[in-house]
Amino acid sequence: VTHSIAEAVFLADRVLALSPRPGRLIGEVTVDLPRPRRLEQTGTEHFGRLTTAVRSHIGQLSHSD
C-alpha cells in the first residue's frame, strides 16, 4: 500500500486504485515492465504512460461527485 503512484508502478505487477472511504476498487493497471526493475526505467515513456493510467483512475473520482 502506498500513496506514491511512481512507487506503486515501480514495485508492482498490478496497481489497484481505491476510492476514499468506503474503499472501493475504481481501477486497475497492469504493469508490464520487465524485471529486474531498474531506476532508469522511471524516466521512460512507457513508465510515464503507466503512471498516467493510474492517475486517470484517481481523476475519475472528482468527475463522479
Side-chain angles (χ1 to χ4, degrees):
V1 175
T2 183
H3 288 104
S4 169
I5 294 172
E7 178 182 45
V9 170
F10 185 74
L11 295 175
D13 294 318
R14 184 173 75 150
V15 177
L16 303 175
L18 301 175
S19 70
R21 290 186 180 117
R24 296 178 324 273
L25 180 63
I26 58 171
E28 177 179 347
V29 174
T30 300
V31 179
D32 57 354
L33 294 170
R35 290 195 179 269
R37 305 237 168 107
R38 305 202 185 284
L39 284 177
E40 297 81 37
Q41 289 171 295
T42 61
T44 66
E45 242 182 88
H46 186 58
F47 189 89
R49 283 193 299 271
L50 291 167
T51 58
T52 298
V54 174
R55 277 190 189 91
S56 73
H57 289 298
I58 296 168
Q60 290 174 8
L61 287 174
S62 61
H63 301 298
S64 64
D65 293 339

